[in-house]
């Protein structure tokens, strides 16, 4: 918002405050008597305030600034938002909208002639009487204008810097909140994805448990098979041992009986018979070799 709008708002608020104070002190008089200059001034200020309500950004700023002066209950009608920057003005206080409104009907000099005519009319009809308050207002206005022109740019730059710092902090907080909300959204999506894959996880765990049970069953079955085979092998080995011991006992018994039944004469005859067979076999082998 420009400094001109702020100054206009301050002036209007001061005038409204002075008019309300002066109006409370003035007694009730008939309508046909001339009113004092202060009452005329308050009436003019009130009329100007009503006219400013529909005059765009300027009217919105002035009405918003003077809203705290009203003591009656306010209406719940929506109030137009204050513009970030004020509209264009001429001569530091006259809004550009007034010139644009009067230009099609009065031309370029129309607003100036209208202002001059109104001023002359108010002075001639004593609607506004020049008194000590006029000179005080002119002095105060001159001081304000000088202060605005002298210190306005630096104060505006300082205010803009403060505003930029506030906006930057608000933007930082907003970005931090957006990043945290974005991270929370991503986490929520990830959790939803995990919930969707929970059935697959349960199926995999169920299959793992089934495979583990099957593995345990086969291990126990293999253990039982090995134990049964080992016991059967033991029985077979035991039977083979008994059969071999019986066979060896039988062979030893037969051999012992045969040896005990052979006489010395039979032993000499069998030895002679063996020697005769060996000699015959040697002659046959020698004959084959020489042939």
């Amino acid at each position: 918002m420009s400094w001109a709008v702020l100054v206009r708002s301050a002036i209007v608020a001061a005038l409204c405050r002075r008019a309300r104070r002066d109006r409370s002190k003035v007694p009730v008089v008939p309508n046909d008597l001339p009113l004092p200059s202060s009452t005329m001034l308050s009436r003019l200020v009130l009329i100007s305030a009503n006219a400013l309500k529909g005059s765009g950004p300027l009217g919105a700023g002035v009405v918003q600034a003077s809203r705290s002066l009203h003591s009656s209950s306010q209406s719940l009608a929506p109030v137009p938002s204050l513009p970030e920057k004020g509209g264009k003005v001429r001569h530091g206080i006259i809004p550009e909208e007034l010139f644009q409104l009067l230009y099609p009907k009065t031309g370029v000099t129309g607003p100036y002639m209208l202002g001059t005519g109104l001023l002359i009319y108010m002075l001639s009809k004593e609607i506004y009487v020049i008194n000590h308050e006029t000179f005080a207002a002119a002095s105060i206005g001159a001081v304000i204008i000088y202060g605005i022109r002298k210190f306005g740019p630096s104060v505006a730059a300082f205010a803009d810097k403060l505003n930029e710092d506030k906006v930057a902090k608000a933007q930082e907080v907003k970005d931090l909140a957006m990043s945290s909300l974005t991270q929370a959204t991503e986490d929520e999506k990830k959790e939803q994805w995990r919930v969707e894959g929970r059935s697959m996880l349960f199926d995999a765990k169920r299959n793992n448990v089934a495979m583990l049970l099957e593995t345990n069953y086969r291990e126990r079955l293999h253990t039982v098979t090995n134990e049964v085979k080992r016991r059967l092998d033991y029985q077979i080995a035991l039977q083979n041992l008994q059969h071999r011991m019986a066979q060896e006992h039988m062979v030893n018994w037969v051999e012992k009986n045969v040896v005990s039944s052979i006489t010395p004469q039979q032993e000499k005859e069998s030895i002679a018979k063996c020697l005769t067979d060996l000699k015959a076999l040697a002659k046959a082998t020698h004959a084959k070799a020489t042939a």
Side-chain angles (χ1 to χ4, degrees), residues 199-250:
S199 59
M200 300 175 62
L201 179 61
F202 286 168
D203 292 338
K205 289 185 176 181
R206 193 177 296 110
N207 293 332
N208 291 335
V209 172
M211 292 176 63
L212 182 61
L213 294 176
E214 183 68 21
T215 303
N216 292 335
Y217 168 73
R218 291 183 179 275
E219 287 180 354
R220 291 195 296 269
L221 185 62
H222 181 67
T223 302
V224 171
T225 304
N226 290 334
E227 290 295 328
V228 172
K229 183 177 181 298
R230 188 173 63 83
R231 291 175 182 273
L232 293 176
D233 292 340
Y234 172 75
Q235 294 296 331
I236 293 172
L238 182 60
Q239 291 179 4
N240 292 333
L241 178 61
Q242 292 177 354
H243 182 69
R244 187 173 64 255
M245 291 179 66
Q247 186 178 5
E248 290 179 355
H249 178 70
M250 181 63 69

Side-chain angles (χ1 to χ4, degrees), residues 82-137:
L82 294 177
E84 184 177 357
K85 296 182 179 179
K88 295 182 179 180
V89 294
R90 293 189 184 183
H91 307 290
I93 193 172
I94 304 175
E96 181 67 23
E97 290 80 1
L98 179 62
F99 292 91
Q100 297 298 329
L101 177 65
L102 298 178
Y103 178 74
K105 297 181 180 179
T106 61
V108 177
T109 59
Y112 301 100
M113 295 302 299
L114 177 62
T116 304
L118 287 176
L119 180 60
I120 294 174
Y121 175 77
M122 292 171 62
L123 293 176
S124 63
K125 295 297 182 180
E126 293 185 355
I127 297 175
Y128 180 77
V129 179
I130 298 177
N131 51 17
H132 63 282
E133 292 184 353
T134 304
F135 297 103

